[in-house]
Amino acid sequence: DKLLDDGEAKPFNSRGPNKCETTGVYYKSMDCYFRDLVSPHKDVEGYCRKALRMKQPGSNEGGDHSLVSCAAEPNDATISLAEYGPIYPCTALAVYRILESLHATDRRFDKTTITIINRSEVLGIPLATMLSNQGATVYSVDINSILQFLPDGKIRREPATTTVETCVRQSSAVVSGVPSTEFLVPTEWISDNTTVVNVATESNFDEETIYNVPGVTYVP
């Protein structure tokens, strides 16, 4: 087995069940070129972008898919991503499961609009991709731009006239993971019955007023 897909790496000795094969890859580099060379079969961090284009966990398409690490026996040499589904970054997957339990119908997010204020490789990008693959319209917000992830797999840049407030007010779920104590989503932007998920160390929402929104579900 090879660590990378394109032959740029030599065989890698590991401490796995078969000491001549690589059983997983853990790495800290966020370099896009290197990250996408890693085989999705061995990317235990879930950062390879090839996996994001595959079936979602729990998708109705072809059965109930779950994580490779959970679904396969330790010595199963026939593990197939097509059979079990890819591995996703754990933070993004956890938020996906929260939203799925509250908003999905038959594990789909059709006619659901969600705003994610974060576009990192760990949270924002994989979460937006998973949700849009399951039918949601997702506004992906970072400091420089707002992108819209569409259910058909397309991504488009929003015009400069589109603001974070516009996106939040249109959304039935808002996820924020901005690592700043100074960033706060104004409570008056949150619509009734919205699910609000904070993924930042310090809350991006005003916890003293957020519960004043009728029907709000706040996940701190």
Side-chain angles (χ1 to χ4, degrees):
D1 251 355
K2 293 182 293 183
L3 171 64
L4 306 182
D5 271 342
D6 70 346
E8 290 194 12
K10 296 180 180 179
F12 180 88
N13 291 328
S14 71
R15 295 183 180 179
N18 186 336
K19 296 185 184 299
C20 295
E21 296 182 355
T22 303
T23 57
V25 177
Y26 172 84
Y27 54 94
K28 295 182 179 180
S29 172
M30 297 303 290
D31 178 83
C32 293
Y33 174 74
F34 177 78
R35 183 183 66 239
D36 289 343
L37 288 178
V38 177
S39 167
H41 294 78
K42 303 184 177 94
D43 180 17
V44 298
E45 292 290 341
Y47 291 154
C48 178
R49 289 180 292 183
K50 296 176 184 177
L52 292 178
R53 296 190 291 269
M54 301 180 67
K55 294 177 181 178
Q56 302 305 304
S59 170
N60 288 338
E61 303 174 11
D64 186 9
H65 303 280
S66 56
L67 298 184
V68 171
S69 59
C70 297
E73 293 298 326
N75 294 319
D76 185 359
T78 62
I79 294 174
S80 168
L81 292 186
E83 181 179 359
Y84 290 112
I87 293 175
Y88 297 94
C90 59
T91 303
L93 183 62
V95 176
Y96 177 91
R97 292 303 192 192
I98 291 171
L99 297 177
E100 181 183 49
S101 69
L102 296 171
H103 290 273
T105 301
D106 294 329
R107 294 176 174 170
R108 294 281 302 177
F109 293 87
D110 298 315
K111 298 181 180 180
T112 301
T113 300
I114 300 171
T115 292
I116 303 172
I117 308 175
N118 179 290
R119 202 180 297 151
S120 68
E121 303 288 348
V122 176
L123 173 64
I125 292 177
L127 180 59
T129 304
M130 285 190 284
L131 290 168
S132 62
N133 282 350
Q134 292 301 100
T137 296
V138 182
Y139 289 107
S140 173
V141 179
D142 74 358
I143 194 171
N144 297 314
S145 64
I146 298 176
L147 303 179
Q148 188 176 151
F149 285 67
L150 299 171
D152 58 8
K154 295 181 180 179
I155 302 174
R156 72 183 185 192
R157 182 180 294 270
E158 287 293 301
T161 53
T162 301
T163 65
V164 179
E165 179 180 359
T166 302
C167 299
V168 171
R169 287 186 181 275
Q170 294 179 1
S171 299
S172 56
V174 179
V175 179
S176 186
V178 178
S180 172
T181 58
E182 299 179 357
F183 179 81
L184 204 67
V185 178
T187 301
E188 55 267 26
W189 293 1
I190 307 296
S191 300
D192 295 357
N193 305 309
T194 297
T195 298
V196 176
V197 182
N198 176 69
V199 196
T201 303
E202 300 292 335
S203 182
N204 292 162
F205 303 92
D206 186 346
E207 296 184 336
E208 294 184 0
T209 62
I210 191 69
Y211 290 106
N212 294 335
V213 180
V216 71
T217 299
Y218 177 53
V219 183

